Amino acid sequence: MNGSSTIATVRTSTMRTPAAIMKHVESFHFRCFLLTKPFSSFPSSLPIDPEPPDHDLPLLLHSILSKPNWQKHPSLPKLLPSISPSHVHSLFSLNPYLLPQTALDFSYWISQKPTFKHSVYSYSALLNILVAYKFFGPADKIRLAMIKSSASIHESRFVFELLMEMNKNEQLHSCFKLSLRSYNFLLMSLSKFLMIDEMKSVYSEMLNDRVSPNIFTWNTMVNGYCKIGNVVEAQRYVTKIVQAGLNPDTFTYTSLILGHCRNKDLDSAFRIFRMMPSKGCRRNEVSYTNLIHGLCEAERVDEAIKLFEAMGEDFCYPTVRTYTVIIFGLCETGRKSEGIKLFEEMSQKGCEPNAHTYTVIIDSLCKDNKVDEAREMVGRMLEKGLVPSVVTYNALIDGYCKHGAMEAALEVLGMMESNNCFPNERTYNELIAGFCKKNVHKAMAFLDKMLELKLVPNVVTYNSLIHGQCKMGQLDNAFRLLEMMKKNGLVPDQWTYSVLIDSLCKVDRIEEARNLFDSLKEKSLKANEVIYTALIDGYCKVGKIEDANYLLDRMINQGCWPNSCTYNAIIDGLCNMKNMKEALSTVKKMAGMGVKPTVDTYTILIKWMLKEGDFDRAHGTLDQLISSGCQPDVLTYTAFIHAYCGVGRLKEAEDMMIRMKEGGVFPDSLTYTLLLDAYGCLGLMHSAFDVLKCMFDAGCEPSHHTYSILFKYLLKDRRTKDDSPAVNLVSNGMLFDHADVWKSMEFDTALELFEKMRQHGCVPNANTYGKLIIGLCKVGRFVVVQKLFDHMRDQGISPGEDAYNSLLNCFCELGMYDDAMIVVDLMIKSSQFPYLDSYRQLICGLYDQGDKEKVDTLFANLLRCGYSSDEVAWKILIDGLLKKGLADRCSELLSIMEKMGCQLHPNTYSLLIEGIDGA
């Protein structure tokens, strides 16, 4: 429930566990310099906690409480910081014969400590002791305290079930039945969490118990139904108020306003609001706030502000919730500056923002890409003594994840846990979505973490992971996740299948994509425009325009209307087939269907006009794009720059770059690289390096293609000076084999590049070295890579994960398994995740060499690093060993996983057993 083991689990490291570093005989210089010169230092081991183990605390407490004057026991002050509600629950549950007065005294004593707060579970265990000893007076107070302490839907349900069970106990019923007060507080607790069915049960039990409801009871029922917008049912309880000879009060009418607002029936809400004075009911701050909230949700923010300003007419003053509702409405409708201004004005008017107000501002800043400002706002909260909620932290984590700042997101997670705010499903969904953009292994590790913390992954969780696996080209894993989510009782949605169909099409598995598409009908799932578009695009990419058009017609006949992406896929396919006439006809057809051409539509046409050398027509289409209200984007401008550079019209390319920047569009790596290549082709290396400097200044990371082009011209220049036979590395534009450049490159060429970069104000950084290492590793130039690693370390620069993984893959491809193991060790030391594909190659290669002991050590270390157990089983055991026919080896590694406590999903386990038995 909320035991200490769960709390301890939450506080453990998210995914990184240092593994023991393997020792190898050093046979190659690469190993020597890597092991003797570590890239970073590591903290020493954490001190061992001298406190008694968690499970011993209840025993110790019982021993202390058994003694007279236990409050003065010398061990209590030392134990106090470690005592949690779960320990108190265990203490009372394991010792039901503890003297009731002692239990009560201890409960009161511990509740006075500022760091302790009873849970429903600790109260329930105390209640059982008191009832068993017939301490009914104190028991009634503890029962009320337990009801009031319900902090979640799970806790409220626990209390409801416990009290209903106790109330049905015949021995207790006569002397300890629920009082009117207890019933009312229980109803209020259930209403808080919208547990309407349970409220109905309690109300029925109350009537069966012959406890007469009062206006508080009926108002709570009215409020509960209004919270879910069921005004019809709420009115039944209003009728009961009238039938009892009572008058509906301000609370009753205010609830009805809320109910009508929930139904988006603002006319009825205003009718109740205006009627209240004539019924002798004063409109209060909550009445105003409910109506203001309804107006904001309907995006009628100006009307909400007028009502906000009119509150004084009823002698009402905006509460913190009123301000928060208005601020939220302003931020949600794009009026963020007004929202922030009102936020700053609150304090001046004597209304201090609360945690919810800050959360609204933090969420708004994150959505506006101002994550650092949002982080500062959290700091302001803490300075004012406000406690950020899980919603606050989630907003900040989501902001960092959307920016790809995963280390910052993990820092917020750590801050959250250190402040005893426990992550929920949404927290992990945001982290998983963020890591899926960068490293799906880490995302999968968070799935395991969720399950470990008893959090339940949902369709959003699995959709993110499926998308992440597909982006990595791991379609087998994506389909395994699909089967896993089905096994867990989740129903894949349209988004799930659109990702899978799109990914199958991208790797030319069109028939499989079509079969999956056709299977949707039997799954009672209707294809939407995203699914249709994915398959239409797949057909167009392989030149099957007729199939694409057939699917387009079927889509329309099924009442699913194509969007601009659908038509753009067909237009692009027609352009690829050099059928510009039909492509332009499709643009007209698109407009006729009420679908406005987008910047992508125009850019597709422009690109193909430029390919045909029709610059005038392309410029005419650009003018048409602008006159339609669209703005050219980076792809539009890059198409022109590419075309001009390709025919040597460098002046026009430069002018287009200037026009692009003036239009507020930032060039990307490809744009800069095209211009850099054009200068190099004309021998203008100084200008080429100026472009590189612009890239650095703009924060645009050069790709390994950018660097290969610079090397291409450096090599050409060197061979010209040396008068040596030239290898054909230079050709028109970017149409050359990058592999030839990397094969020809030596370490001194890299040093020459670094020197020229420095001369132009571009200091080589981790990205520079990383991109060179990636390029060289692709062609197996590990000797040059070794020298680059050494040079990099001498410059005080640590390799990134991509560079390490490229090197690891290179060694595995070349069968240099001992060297690959050294790279794995270094990555683990640096808290980096080696790709499991490389692990698979490495383990299979070591088995081929007969190095079973090395495999066992390597695999055990891998399992300590925090990878998803299922993903390890899929990639290494199933895709590696079983596919090679090494069933016995697979069985041995599976045994290691079991001994180390790895938990596998039943689907994964079934696949393994079938594979082992089948072999």
Side-chain angles (χ1 to χ4, degrees), residues 642 646 674 677 709 712-713 728-738:
H642 192 180
L674 288 165
D677 189 25
I709 286 166
K712 174 179 71 171
Y713 294 116
N728 184 23
L729 293 173
V730 184
S731 59
N732 185 30
M734 292 182 71
L735 302 174
F736 74 99
D737 190 348
H738 290 277

Side-chain angles (χ1 to χ4, degrees), residues 844-878:
C844 290
L846 289 170
Y847 270 136
D848 288 343
Q849 289 183 355
D851 288 333
K852 180 183 177 303
E853 287 185 10
K854 285 183 180 177
V855 170
D856 290 349
T857 308
L858 177 71
F859 191 68
N861 285 336
L862 157 66
L863 296 178
R864 295 187 186 101
C865 291
Y867 288 88
S868 159
S869 299
D870 287 298
E871 197 179 21
V872 169
W874 297 340
K875 295 307 300 175
I876 295 172
L877 304 192
I878 296 172

Side-chain angles (χ1 to χ4, degrees), residues 549 552 567 570-571 574-575 579-593 595 597 601 605 609 617:
N549 278 320
L552 178 65
Y567 284 109
I570 290 175
I571 292 163
L574 289 166
C575 288
N579 192 345
M580 182 61 74
K581 182 179 178 183
E582 190 61 32
L584 291 169
S585 173
T586 303
V587 175
K588 289 180 182 176
K589 182 179 174 183
M590 173 183 183
M593 291 289 289
V595 180
T601 316
L605 296 172
M609 290 169 184
R617 197 175 185 189

